[in-house]
Amino acid sequence: MIEIVYDKDKGADDDIFAGINLPKNIRQIGMPTGKRRIYIEDYVMTYLTGLADPNSSYARGAILVGECKKGNGGEAIFISGAIAAQNLELDLEESTFDDETWGMIYKEVKSYFPELAVVGWFLSRMGFSTEVNDMILRLHVDNFAGEDKVLYIMDALENEDAFYMMDHNYLCRQSGYYIYYARNEAMQNFMILSRGDEKREKEDEEFEDETVMKNYRRIMEERTKTSKIERMSRALYAFCSCLGIAVLGLGVAVFSNYQMLDRMENYIEVNDIANVNAEVKTTDAIAVITSEPKSEKTTETTLNMVRNATENLPKYYTVQNGDTLSSISFKMYNSVGYVAELMEANGMDESDQIHEGDKIVIPTIQQ
């Protein structure tokens, strides 16, 4: 607002304020007009400015006390005291003025300012400007009824302030006000006492904050330990589960391979006998060939014996990566139609599987 140093000697009050003993040592803020004037004492202004410290990040409030004086046609509201209102801190939506709150307010007013009455309230909201909204209007109408009650809003962050008074059921911003200087012993005493209370409260808060921080650290340490134990437990549970599944799978695979090996051994035992017989026949045939010369017919007969014996020897195939019985059938017989013969020759059924590196018997099939 515009600040104008008021010189009493350069003018006189309007006739409407005749009969009111106006202070002589004043400072004009803005351009006060109309039939109502607001005068706020300098100590009160200092106290409210302290409440509206820019370092405060929450709302602060106070109850304004003083008196209202009427002249011939106008009135002047003198604000000569203020008491911090704890119920106006933090969140205005939760601020209430119930009987208990008013009881405490009136008790403090009577204690510090016994000759004064409530003339309005003060509100500081950092970064919210000095405009009023429906919530502020509701609080004023419900708790500070009457056109002689004021609302003083300050935003220290923006370095703005404004006075409001009711007019036609709405809070109207005043064009200016006056700061006056006087021996305000009551407010001085209150400020001295409140500083002591604030110091003790600050010490208590610091002690409480230290205690809270210690408890908080202890709780966080316990939570960290608990969380670490839970993570280790979950990891151990997951490892054991995976290990159990792996062991189960290995057991199934071993059992399946064992069954296949058992069938293979039985098959090989049977085929070994046939191989021995075939080898004997082949040996006999070779012996016949290498013996004394025979007739041409005898030699041809002998060669047929060797050929038949060799053809009857079993063949083996080593399973490659990606092989199936169908692909092996196609490799060995140029046809996928001999899967059943391969399974029968190796003692396999439909549930059996082949793996890379397995050796399987390739039976001789007359095509």
Side-chain angles (χ1 to χ4, degrees):
M1 277 192 167
I2 301 172
E3 179 177 333
I4 300 174
V5 176
Y6 184 81
D7 190 349
K8 186 71 174 179
D9 296 334
K10 291 185 178 179
D13 295 322
D14 297 334
D15 292 338
I16 59 174
F17 294 100
I20 301 176
N21 187 18
L22 298 176
K24 296 180 180 181
N25 192 8
I26 63 175
R27 182 156 53 101
Q28 179 179 320
I29 306 297
M31 300 294 293
T33 58
K35 298 181 179 181
R36 293 186 292 187
R37 293 187 181 179
I38 300 173
Y39 293 85
I40 182 169
E41 201 275 324
D42 182 60
Y43 282 105
V44 179
M45 180 63 74
T46 300
Y47 176 72
L48 297 178
T49 303
L51 285 182
D53 186 347
N55 294 324
S56 298
S57 58
Y58 52 90
R60 297 298 301 270
I63 302 300
L64 304 179
V65 296
E67 55 184 336
C68 179
K69 297 182 179 180
K70 296 185 181 295
N72 290 340
E75 61 181 352
I77 295 93
F78 294 90
I79 304 170
S80 52
I83 298 175
Q86 303 299 326
N87 62 312
L88 292 174
E89 293 185 0
L90 301 178
D91 191 351
L92 287 181
E93 293 182 356
E94 299 179 2
S95 299
T96 57
F97 285 88
D98 52 21
D99 293 340
E100 182 180 357
T101 302
W102 276 118
M104 294 176 61
I105 291 173
Y106 285 129
K107 182 179 180 180
E108 285 193 275
V109 171
K110 185 177 180 180
S111 176
Y112 295 108
F113 308 100
E115 298 180 357
L116 303 179
V118 174
V119 294
W121 59 305
F122 165 79
L123 178 63
S124 169
R125 302 178 73 202
M126 303 302 297
F128 283 86
S129 78
T130 56
E131 299 298 323
V132 299
N133 53 31
D134 293 340
M135 178 176 56
I136 295 175
L137 176 61
R138 176 179 54 80
L139 280 174
H140 186 88
V141 172
D142 292 346
N143 301 283
F144 303 92
E147 294 188 353
D148 58 347
K149 298 297 189 294
V150 302
L151 165 61
Y152 183 32
I153 298 181
M154 185 180 296
D155 185 350
L157 188 64
E158 300 295 335
N159 196 25
E160 293 182 356
D161 66 342
F163 271 97
Y164 288 86
M165 296 188 72
M166 290 297 296
D167 188 11
H168 295 91
N169 298 321
Y170 195 75
L171 281 171
C172 296
R173 184 168 184 158
Q174 304 302 295
S175 58
Y177 61 93
Y178 299 96
I179 299 176
Y180 74 97
Y181 303 87
R183 289 187 60 187
N184 192 350
E185 295 181 359
M187 190 64 199
Q188 293 180 51
N189 293 333
F190 172 76
M191 292 173 67
I192 293 172
L193 293 173
S194 63
R195 286 197 197 101
D197 293 339
E198 289 176 358
K199 183 178 180 180
R200 286 190 294 272
E201 290 177 0
K202 186 175 182 180
E203 291 174 351
D204 292 341
E205 289 176 358
E206 290 176 352
F207 175 77
E208 291 176 0
D209 291 342
E210 184 178 356
T211 304
V212 170
M213 287 303 298
K214 287 182 179 179
N215 292 334
Y216 176 77
R217 293 192 193 98
R218 178 179 55 79
I219 292 172
M220 291 304 296
E221 289 176 357
E222 291 177 355
R223 288 184 179 178
T224 301
K225 292 179 181 178
T226 303
S227 178
K228 187 175 181 180
I229 293 173
E230 290 178 354
R231 288 197 300 270
M232 292 178 64
S233 299
R234 288 195 295 267
L236 182 61
Y237 176 79
F239 174 75
C240 293
S241 299
C242 293
L243 182 62
I245 294 173
V247 170
L248 180 62
L250 181 62
V252 172
V254 169
F255 180 73
S256 177
N257 290 336
Y258 175 79
Q259 288 183 323
M260 182 177 290
L261 288 173
D262 186 55
R263 288 196 296 269
M264 289 290 293
E265 288 177 357
N266 293 333
Y267 182 80
I268 289 171
E269 288 178 359
V270 173
N271 281 276
D272 281 346
I273 298 172
N275 292 342
V276 169
N277 293 333
E279 288 176 359
V280 170
K281 291 179 181 180
T282 303
T283 303
D284 291 342
I286 294 173
V288 171
I289 293 172
T290 55
S291 62
E292 68 274 4
K294 300 292 184 180
S295 64
E296 182 178 345
K297 184 176 181 180
T298 302
T299 300
E300 183 178 355
T301 302
T302 302
L303 290 174
N304 287 333
M305 291 175 60
V306 172
R307 188 180 298 111
N308 291 333
T310 303
E311 289 178 354
N312 290 329
L313 288 175
K315 299 179 182 178
Y316 295 93
Y317 175 78
T318 302
V319 177
Q320 306 296 319
N321 183 28
D323 279 344
T324 62
L325 290 178
S326 298
S327 66
I328 295 173
S329 174
F330 187 80
K331 287 181 181 179
M332 298 294 103
Y333 308 112
N334 292 323
S335 172
V336 297
Y338 296 98
V339 174
E341 287 78 358
L342 289 172
M343 294 175 62
E344 181 180 0
N346 289 276
M348 300 170 61
D349 55 36
E350 294 181 355
S351 63
D352 293 328
Q353 298 181 356
I354 59 176
H355 303 87
E356 182 180 1
D358 291 345
K359 287 187 176 181
I360 62 173
V361 178
I362 305 299
T364 302
I365 299 176
Q366 299 295 329
Q367 299 184 13

